[in-house]
Amino acid sequence: MSALVVAVTGLVASWTLPALLASARWPLRYPRAGLLAWTLVLPATYGTVLAAALSLVLHLPPIAAALHARLPGHTDALLRGYAHLGGRPLDAVVGGVAAAVATGAVLAVLISGRRAAADRRRHLADLGLVARPVGLPGVLVVDVAQPAAYAVPGRPGAVVLTSAARDVLDPAELTAVLAHERTHLRARHARLLGAAATFARAGWLPGARDSHRSLRLLAELHADDAAARATSPLVVAGALLKLGRGAAPEAGIGIGAVGMVTRVERLLERTVPRRRPLAPVAMTGAVTGLVAMLAIQLGVLAAPVATAAYAAATCDLDCRAGSEPW
């Protein structure tokens, strides 16, 4: 029954947790913690549901026999810890569907990641033909009349500035923009956003689109904070206002990609200190709760196997002699 409890809990959480996290205000104040929280939501909900469904295949004769060979005398006790829908055909169907969904999700993320990486390599190769270095490591300038800046991940990646952006930014703003884009590269935001975009295409998944939308904004807030530490919030806000309309190619992450109004207002608020004593409490409680939920869910799923493995390891010859036949 433990797997059934985990599955029900995961299903309920998949409908409630994304909505609660999307409406929370503390991630705007602590974007790195917000990124971590959204990263934990998927395995704590859909991941545990799939794991619980996959446990149904343990009841199928070939797998049960293999378990008996490994854990003689303890297989029945182990299987009683997992959900059983009442018939092997139904167990096989549900477990098979869960395996197909899990495999498909992993393949979708891997394939989309490989395609994105290929697009970035092509874009970097094209930049090598038209862009020019400016004496700063990893920074390229292209002659475009629209002010824009973006980061292109790769090995190595690059920060790209248009000539119009270089001309319109003052030295402090240029430092802020470079710090912003380098943070995207260093934190590997593109990988996280790519995986979130893959799941967001499955619009029927509760919270998938909220997750992608929130992660995009939080990645920008994280980079804004790094730029503000390198310069000041007012400098970053000024750079955003100058580059906010600049579009980035699909292979890059642009400084004005999303949430301009929210980001500028947040930066301006940082110039006026405000006491928000509940924000750290909410952040700590949410992240700790998600970590605890995931750990408990996985612990409940693993407990029967761990218990049976321990019992088999400490079982004496009389115990093995009385093992159930298969």
Side-chain angles (χ1 to χ4, degrees):
M1 292 299 291
S2 58
L4 181 60
V5 172
V6 169
V8 172
T9 304
L11 284 173
V12 172
S14 69
W15 286 92
T16 56
L17 285 183
L20 290 173
L21 192 55
S23 63
R25 300 294 298 173
W26 66 261
L28 300 181
R29 187 173 178 84
Y30 303 103
R32 293 183 70 180
L35 289 168
L36 174 61
W38 277 109
T39 304
L40 290 170
V41 164
L42 185 66
T45 55
Y46 298 111
T48 54
V49 171
L50 285 175
L54 283 170
S55 70
L56 291 172
V57 301
L58 297 177
H59 294 275
L60 299 181
I63 299 178
L67 287 173
H68 172 68
R70 292 282 184 177
L71 307 170
H74 305 283
T75 307
D76 283 345
L78 185 155
L79 294 179
R80 282 195 296 270
Y82 293 102
H84 186 33
L85 298 181
R88 289 171 180 169
L90 186 57
D91 289 344
V93 169
V94 175
V97 170
V101 171
T103 303
V106 172
L107 288 176
V109 171
L110 291 176
I111 291 172
S112 63
R114 288 179 65 87
R115 288 176 177 172
D119 290 342
R120 292 169 191 142
R121 286 193 296 269
R122 284 193 293 269
H123 188 73
L124 286 170
D126 293 340
L127 286 172
L129 300 176
V130 299
R132 61 181 186 275
V134 290
L136 295 171
V139 180
L140 300 173
V141 173
V142 293
D143 290 321
V144 177
Q146 178 71 39
Y150 59 92
V152 184
R155 296 182 180 179
V159 176
V160 182
L161 297 171
T162 64
S163 54
R166 184 195 56 184
D167 294 338
V168 77
L169 295 172
D170 64 35
E173 290 169 341
L174 179 59
T175 299
V177 169
L178 295 180
H180 178 105
E181 299 303 338
R182 285 169 175 159
T183 300
H184 282 315
L185 296 176
R186 186 170 55 253
R188 299 182 178 181
H189 287 154
R191 292 187 180 182
L192 179 60
L193 297 179
T198 300
F199 285 106
R201 295 187 188 103
W204 52 272
L205 284 176
R209 290 177 179 171
D210 284 341
S211 174
H212 183 223
R213 184 165 50 249
S214 297
L215 285 170
R216 289 182 65 200
L217 176 59
L218 292 173
E220 293 300 328
L221 297 183
H222 179 204
D224 288 345
D225 287 350
R229 287 192 297 271
T231 54
S232 74
L234 282 178
V235 169
V236 180
L240 288 177
L241 292 175
K242 290 180 179 180
L243 303 183
R245 294 184 179 180
E250 189 173 349
I253 304 178
I255 190 170
V258 66
M260 285 295 299
V261 174
T262 298
R263 292 164 62 192
V264 171
E265 289 179 347
R266 177 176 176 271
L267 288 164
L268 295 178
E269 286 177 359
R270 290 182 58 178
T271 64
V272 181
R274 294 185 181 182
R275 295 193 63 186
R276 295 178 178 175
L278 294 181
V281 176
M283 179 268 292
T284 304
V287 174
T288 303
L290 283 168
V291 171
M293 176 182 173
L294 180 59
I296 291 172
Q297 298 275 72
L298 295 178
V300 169
L301 282 175
V305 171
T307 301
Y310 176 78
T314 57
C315 184
D316 56 22
L317 293 177
D318 292 338
C319 171
R320 294 176 184 275
S323 61
E324 69 269 35
W326 284 79

